[in-house]
Amino acid sequence: MEWMARLLPRLRTNLDLMPSPVEDRPGLLIRDSLRYSDTTLIIPPALAPCLEAFDGQQTDLDLRAALVSLTGDLRVGELVDNMLDTLSQAGFLEDEAFAKLRDERHKAFAEAPQRLASHAGSAYPEEPELLRSALAQCLDGAMPSSDSLAGIAAPHICPDGGWASYRDAYGALGPRYRDRVFVILGTSHFGEPERCGLTRKPFLTPLGEARTEQALVDWLAGAAPGAVNMEDYCHAIEHSIEFQVVFLQHVFGPDIRILPILCGSYALSIAQGGRPEENPQVARFIEALGELAAREGERLFWVLGVDMSHMGRRYGDPFSVRAEEGQMSAVARTDRQRIACITAGDADGFWKLVQENKDDLKWCGSSAFYTFLKALPDARGSLIRYQQWNIDEHSAVSFGALAFTRG
């Protein structure tokens, strides 16, 4: 029965696919954005179209036919097997090999005593003294705010790209905030929509260990059952909270207290209309977070790790963009309309703007902003800085620094 067609497993949809940056190895680079696999593959240009066969609907005979068409050679059986085996062993297919790899990584994170720094040595220096020097240089010239702040919003773009907004956000913090519990609402780039991700683990960075307030984590998990993913693996790889922890540690010392919360996207609300809290689990979590904010008051300080628009080829657009030029000038005007709603505390007005054109600006911080505005309805803000930055030659991201007080 060896001649019978075998259904090919589906290529995972949460992989990073991009043109190879290696000059002598052109093709399509594939890597795992969730870090289940440490493998990076470069598929040669001639073979890249064959990936379309891994859609969960086609068979090895379809892949064979595609390879015969591309090579003009009927003897492609070994190439079919090699391509299938290579993708499977890399953990790039939705098959048993990937399921085992995923379960092992989830188990390892759940059992780990700490959340380790996953971006040290890549997004920022791994050596403590080099990191302190880089952060000091980044915050040089910052002006502490005279207001009694309730929170700030800072970017989660890499510090090299967003240093001026990081400076203005964290430079606003004076020593009087040292003993607060920092509630960090970070974008969950990989998490389940309409859910938040929690962890009880302390966050370890090159600067030391930040303590997670386990009692508050447990209270939230109990107050919003079904709305929370506990010990969410996404915390292991997510940068939106890690970057904020590093800056907070630099400003206040390594042993800060934090409540790290990853906010999944409110994708259903954007796609179907209506407010996010029309989803019962979203409503439960926002209500619980609002109760926590009211109960704890000034014991908490709120930090949002958020970016705004994502435009250009890297983000699925059929065009290239340059920061502050052309199309990005129009993006800036729309961004500022949304920011005006945020600073006015107008959560519903902000969300209506997000829903326009199904958020074609791709604000990855929209759920964190909305959650904050609903949990602290008396919060009012001011925009300290707005920026755009080209993350590559074809794509740009917008972000900024905001400061919030409570009426």
Side-chain angles (χ1 to χ4, degrees):
M1 299 296 290
E2 294 181 356
W3 54 270
M4 292 185 64
R6 294 175 295 166
L7 188 66
L8 294 173
R10 185 183 182 92
L11 189 71
R12 288 172 49 203
T13 58
N14 48 13
L15 300 171
D16 285 333
L17 292 88
M18 63 191 72
S20 169
V22 184
E23 289 187 8
D24 59 348
R25 291 189 64 193
L28 184 68
L29 184 145
I30 309 178
R31 65 187 180 192
D32 190 350
S33 59
L34 286 167
R35 300 194 186 182
Y36 293 127
S37 170
D38 297 325
T39 300
T40 298
L41 296 179
I42 297 178
I43 308 298
L47 296 181
C50 295
L51 292 176
E52 296 179 3
F54 295 89
D55 60 1
Q57 303 294 322
Q58 299 185 58
T59 70
D60 59 339
L61 294 183
D62 296 311
L63 177 58
R64 181 186 296 267
L67 287 168
V68 169
S69 176
L70 286 169
T71 64
D73 190 341
L74 295 176
R75 298 166 296 177
V76 295
E78 185 176 344
L79 185 55
V80 169
D81 292 339
N82 182 63
M83 192 170 189
L84 179 58
D85 290 344
T86 299
L87 291 171
S88 179
Q89 292 172 15
F92 292 169
L93 300 178
E94 294 179 357
D95 60 8
E96 291 183 3
F98 166 64
K100 180 181 178 181
L101 190 64
R102 178 193 59 208
D103 292 346
E104 288 173 349
R105 290 297 174 98
H106 284 200
K107 184 174 184 289
F109 176 71
E111 294 177 350
Q114 299 167 313
R115 187 277 185 190
L116 302 179
S118 63
H119 297 276
S122 54
Y124 58 85
E126 188 172 18
E127 203 281 323
E129 289 307 313
L130 290 178
L131 177 56
R132 291 188 185 98
S133 176
L135 292 171
Q137 184 177 3
C138 178
L139 296 182
D140 184 44
M143 298 293 292
S145 171
S146 59
D147 295 327
S148 180
L149 298 180
I152 59 170
H156 60 234
I157 197 75
C158 70
D160 283 347
W163 67 267
S165 288
Y166 280 111
R167 178 198 62 197
D168 292 345
Y170 285 97
L173 305 185
R176 61 186 176 276
Y177 303 108
R178 168 68 179 81
D179 295 326
R180 305 286 183 92
V181 176
F182 296 98
V183 183
I184 307 177
L185 299 179
T187 297
S188 185
H189 292 91
F190 312 108
E192 188 176 350
E194 281 73 44
R195 285 180 183 262
C196 74
L198 299 179
T199 181
R200 300 181 181 91
K201 302 181 190 305
F203 275 55
L204 185 65
T205 78
L207 300 180
E209 184 177 275
R211 295 173 291 158
T212 294
E213 286 285 286
Q214 295 187 12
L216 298 184
V217 173
D218 290 339
W219 186 88
L220 274 177
V228 168
N229 287 331
M230 272 306 310
E231 299 307 342
D232 182 5
Y233 171 79
C234 292
H235 273 288
I237 57 168
E238 183 59 72
H239 61 280
S240 63
I241 289 180
E242 180 176 330
F243 291 174
Q244 315 314 317
V245 171
V246 169
F247 275 94
L248 287 168
Q249 287 180 314
H250 177 72
V251 173
F252 296 115
D255 59 339
I256 56 171
R257 294 177 297 161
I258 62 174
L259 174 55
I261 302 172
L262 286 175
C263 298
S265 70
Y266 294 148
L268 288 176
S269 175
I270 292 174
Q272 300 174 4
R275 296 183 301 169
E277 60 267 35
E278 291 175 14
N279 181 297
Q281 61 193 31
V282 171
R284 280 195 297 271
F285 185 74
I286 288 178
E287 182 180 358
L289 198 62
E291 183 178 340
L292 185 70
R295 187 187 77 196
E296 300 292 332
E298 291 190 357
R299 179 172 175 252
L300 306 179
F301 190 91
W302 300 76
V303 176
L304 283 66
V306 286
D307 288 339
M308 298 175 185
S309 293
H310 293 66
M311 305 297 292
R313 297 190 181 279
R314 185 187 188 97
Y315 305 111
D317 294 317
F319 49 78
S320 299
V321 295
R322 296 297 304 172
E324 311 292 350
E325 298 177 7
Q327 190 166 350
M328 291 305 294
S329 298
V331 168
R333 290 191 291 272
T334 305
D335 279 348
R336 289 180 179 275
Q337 291 173 352
R338 296 184 183 187
I339 294 168
C341 289
I342 292 170
T343 56
D346 182 5
D348 292 338
F350 167 68
W351 200 251
K352 287 179 181 176
L353 292 175
V354 170
Q355 289 175 320
E356 286 184 2
N357 301 316
K358 300 189 185 301
D359 192 21
D360 56 348
L361 299 188
K362 301 176 283 294
W363 262 47
C364 75
S366 61
S367 62
F369 272 123
Y370 186 82
T371 300
F372 171 75
L373 293 174
K374 284 295 186 177
L376 280 78
D378 61 341
R380 299 295 181 268
S382 59
L383 176 64
I384 308 173
R385 180 178 295 273
Y386 171 82
Q387 282 186 269
Q388 296 180 355
W389 179 64
N390 267 91
I391 194 167
D392 60 35
E393 61 179 325
H394 300 292
S395 314
V397 180
S398 66
F399 45 86
L402 292 85
F404 296 95
T405 59
R406 296 188 71 167

